[in-house]
Amino acid sequence: MSELRFENVTVRYGTGRRALRAVDGVSLTVPPGQVVGLVGESGSGKSTLARAAVGLAPLASGRVLLGGQDVVLRARGGGHRPLQMVFQDPYASLDPRMRVGDSVAEAIPRTGPSDGAGRRAEVARLFELVGLDAGHALSRPAELSGGQRQRVALARALAGRPSVVVADEITSALDVSVQGTVLNLVRDLQRRMHLGMLFISHNLAVVRYVSDVVAVMYLGRIVECGPAHDVLADPQHPYTRELLAAAPQRDGSAWADTGQGEGAVTEVEPPDPHHAPTGCRFHPRCPVGPLVRPDRAECLTLDPTPGSAGRVHGAACHFAADRLAPPGMAR
């Protein structure tokens, strides 16, 4: 098993004044055999970080390490790639002209079975592993349902014998009735094979179900990260609390009481990512920030990220620790 580690990763698109930092100085670790759920709204940089992990988005700075080795340099050297990705849209990620069995066989490493019979047997084993009949190997993507195509995509990722899998919104393109089945399959495979996994979703219910660790991303940066139960039960960053407040349970209540009673971000447009706000990037939308509390003017100019390591859950918020101060302590 190998650890996947992002070290101060930045991904930039464009140049000059209109350059966009889709990922800005992200450091994140996926421990061996654990699932790290990465959550955030659309445009936060989640998918760009996933693509950077597998070498599909060039890094402007920083490194992505797998088992201590640079992923980019390792990919250039060819050979076995112990990091595989499952994309959001299974139809777009499969060649429509190829039989799905051939697509899976194509991903089997050279160290695997070399003869045709051996590769067909391996494809049949992988199909069984993801709950597909081996007879589907002769089908083309258009002949399968969305759930079946995503199972094929999982089988193709597993064919590469990875130690870490990056799953990017793998249930968002599926019918609700199929999502639960695919999530159960992913969780079962991860545990049986002891895979590390970076699981990306905008759906907190999904992240809560599969993750050991939750990382919250906003405007290209990780703003909070910690054990899933702790982050969801006691969120430190106002953005995390707003995400939780917007995610109802079956009974209609939110998972976590934000405990703030101030403001809301739902009526405020997200800032232009080409011109990220100074100071705390969340301050133009923060329900407990300077727009509501004028005494918190440091949020306008001081970036809270450098001091996040000393706060609970590494929260990138000047007042994360302040919120948890015991009664009687100076605030």
Side-chain angles (χ1 to χ4, degrees):
M1 294 189 292
S2 299
E3 175 185 85
L4 175 64
R5 189 164 74 250
F6 299 86
E7 292 186 348
N8 200 30
V9 168
T10 296
V11 178
R12 184 169 54 241
Y13 295 115
T15 58
R17 299 171 64 181
R18 294 296 296 175
L20 168 64
R21 287 195 175 195
V23 175
D24 189 6
V26 166
S27 294
L28 181 67
T29 299
V30 181
Q34 293 192 31
V35 180
V36 174
L38 183 60
V39 66
E41 62 193 357
S42 297
S44 61
K46 307 184 303 296
S47 293
T48 300
L49 187 65
R51 293 172 68 84
V54 295
L56 294 177
L59 305 185
S61 63
R63 298 189 302 170
V64 181
L65 303 176
L66 181 62
Q69 296 184 341
D70 191 292
V71 171
V72 175
L73 297 179
R74 184 168 186 164
R76 290 174 182 170
H80 177 224
R81 295 188 181 186
L83 178 62
Q84 297 290 327
M85 184 168 176
V86 183
F87 294 89
Q88 177 176 349
D89 185 351
Y91 189 75
S93 66
L94 296 170
D95 189 332
R97 296 167 296 181
M98 289 181 68
R99 292 184 172 88
V100 293
D102 294 333
S103 292
V104 173
E106 194 175 47
I108 297 174
R110 297 174 184 174
T111 54
S114 57
D115 62 298
R119 294 175 79 83
R120 286 192 295 273
E122 177 65 3
V123 170
R125 184 189 73 82
L126 290 166
F127 271 45
E128 181 181 359
L129 196 64
V130 299
L132 282 175
D133 188 278
H136 284 113
L138 299 177
S139 302
R140 288 182 169 79
E143 299 168 348
L144 301 177
S145 68
Q148 289 172 328
R149 287 195 290 265
Q150 197 60 288
R151 288 171 186 262
V152 170
L154 282 168
R156 185 177 62 178
L158 296 176
R161 300 179 184 175
S163 56
V164 180
V165 171
V166 178
D168 183 18
E169 299 272 14
I170 63 173
T171 60
S172 63
L174 304 178
D175 292 339
V176 174
S177 59
V178 181
Q179 289 181 5
T181 303
V182 172
L183 286 174
N184 285 331
L185 172 64
V186 168
R187 191 169 70 164
D188 180 59
L189 289 172
Q190 185 271 329
R191 291 176 176 176
R192 285 166 55 190
M193 303 178 72
H194 304 289
L195 293 169
M197 182 174 289
L198 179 61
F199 190 95
I200 297 170
S201 179
H202 64 277
N203 189 329
L204 278 166
V206 169
V207 170
R208 186 189 199 194
Y209 183 65
V210 301
S211 302
D212 302 297
V213 176
V214 169
V216 182
M217 198 166 186
Y218 180 75
L219 271 186
R221 290 183 176 175
I222 302 295
V223 297
E224 186 164 358
C225 183
H229 179 270
D230 294 345
V231 170
L232 297 177
D234 187 23
Q236 301 296 298
H237 197 281
Y239 179 61
T240 308
R241 297 198 294 272
E242 290 296 325
L243 289 178
L244 287 167
Q249 289 182 332
R250 291 180 180 178
D251 63 1
S253 61
W255 280 332
D257 181 4
T258 62
Q260 297 298 316
E262 298 182 76
V265 300
T266 52
E267 300 299 326
V268 182
E269 286 292 327
D272 181 359
H274 292 89
H275 300 94
T278 57
C280 174
R281 294 192 171 189
F282 189 58
H283 82 256
R285 307 173 66 193
C286 185
V288 293
L291 298 184
V292 178
R293 299 275 300 272
D295 58 310
R296 295 183 169 180
E298 56 261 63
C299 300
L300 299 172
T301 56
L302 298 178
D303 184 356
T305 305
S308 60
R311 305 187 188 104
V312 179
H313 305 162
C317 173
H318 292 298
F319 299 95
D322 174 72
R323 192 176 69 88
L324 294 178
M329 287 189 65
R331 289 180 176 266

